[in-house]
Amino acid sequence: MIARVPERFSTARLVAGPMSDDDFEGLRLLHRDPVVMRTLSATGEPLGEDETRGFIERCRDHWLQHGFGVWTFRLEFSDTFIGYCGLKRTTIEDEACIELLYAVRASHWGQGYAGEMAAAVVRLGLDKLGADSLVSFTLPVNAASRRVMEKQGFVYEKDIVHAGLPHVFLRRRPIPAEAGGVPPA
Ligand SMILES: CC(C)(COP(=O)(O)OP(=O)(O)OC[C@H]1O[C@@H](n2cnc3c(N)ncnc32)[C@H](O)[C@@H]1OP(=O)(O)O)[C@@H](O)C(=O)NCCC(=O)NCCS
């Protein structure tokens, strides 16, 4: 596999690496938490161990096929599993897109970790991968997730139906260098 983006990198507080079997325990705990899964799984229900193994396998296949994918993030000072964030090829309403996705352990919500992960991953997607745009979508009730997107410069584009449920769909376009490459506040 030729990685098109760094497989490992650090942010201010976090260390990122490509999702692997080593992440099973952290992911198992994330996936079995009903508070997290209410807005994450297609059914709104927690996932079992087989589904978590399947998720890891799909993430690994994506890295192998495309040279980018989902990273796991851990706290630098303690190696604690925080969650994941990444980029995934998908098709929405017949458009081939690169989707930004993320989830954080409920015990660590509200500390800016999703924003920290998303900022790094968006930069890699646009600067290193050279994507024309990135997209992200969430349930209309998921105000925290929409806020994470909007803080990274994603703009509402349309309502869509995804996994049989209404979602808001937002898009992040590269910001011209003359604008300083900084998303609007
Ligand atoms: C969405 C999620 C990733 C956010 O993680 P987080 O680490 O708490 O996010 P951050 O701390 O970086 O930022 C959250 C922002 O949303 C805001 N927010 C939180 N709850 C909110 C609410 N109910 N309404 C409006 N804004 C809200 C926070 O104030 C913060 O904005 P601010 O920085 O301007 O104060 C996390 O809640 C999660 O994992 N949810 C379950 C999985 C999920 O829904 N993933 C996204 C699927 S699209």
Side-chain angles (χ1 to χ4, degrees):
M1 185 255 298
I2 299 172
R4 297 170 61 194
V5 291
E7 291 185 326
R8 295 177 193 283
F9 61 90
S10 298
T11 62
R13 296 173 292 175
L14 304 171
V15 174
M19 186 167 298
S20 75
D21 288 337
D22 294 346
D23 300 310
F24 176 74
E25 188 52 23
L27 267 179
R28 185 183 75 81
L29 296 176
L30 186 86
H31 280 164
R32 78 171 195 187
D33 183 344
V35 176
V36 171
M37 299 317 289
R38 206 162 43 211
T39 52
L40 193 60
S41 73
T43 60
E45 298 292 327
L47 301 182
E49 295 190 1
D50 287 348
E51 289 161 302
T52 295
R53 284 197 185 86
F55 180 72
I56 293 173
E57 209 166 297
R58 287 195 300 282
C59 288
R60 193 166 39 222
D61 289 349
H62 192 287
W63 270 99
L64 288 171
Q65 199 178 343
H66 302 294
F68 66 92
V70 176
W71 290 266
T72 301
F73 286 76
R74 294 172 184 274
L75 280 181
E76 185 167 30
F77 79 93
S78 62
D79 204 35
T80 305
F81 175 96
I82 284 296
Y84 64 81
C85 182
L87 299 169
K88 178 183 151 197
R89 284 204 184 278
T90 191
T91 301
I92 300 293
E93 295 185 342
D94 296 329
E95 179 193 353
C97 306
I98 299 182
E99 175 195 354
L100 173 76
L101 62 158
Y102 42 77
V104 172
R105 287 173 70 168
S107 54
H108 289 70
W109 285 2
Q111 298 176 52
Y113 288 123
E116 189 168 325
M117 299 190 303
V121 170
V122 165
R123 250 191 331 270
L124 290 173
L126 296 177
D127 297 350
K128 289 261 185 257
L129 216 53
D132 291 341
S133 70
L134 304 175
V135 306
S136 201
F137 37 90
T138 192
L139 297 170
V141 294
N142 198 348
S145 182
R146 182 166 177 167
R147 176 86 182 127
V148 170
M149 295 174 200
E150 289 179 336
K151 284 185 79 175
Q152 297 309 319
F154 282 75
V155 175
Y156 171 82
E157 189 169 301
K158 58 186 172 181
D159 291 339
I160 62 167
V161 175
H162 177 71
L165 295 170
H167 282 67
V168 289
F169 176 99
L170 289 83
R171 189 185 301 271
R172 168 70 150 86
R173 295 188 187 280
I175 293 167
E178 61 270 23
V182 179

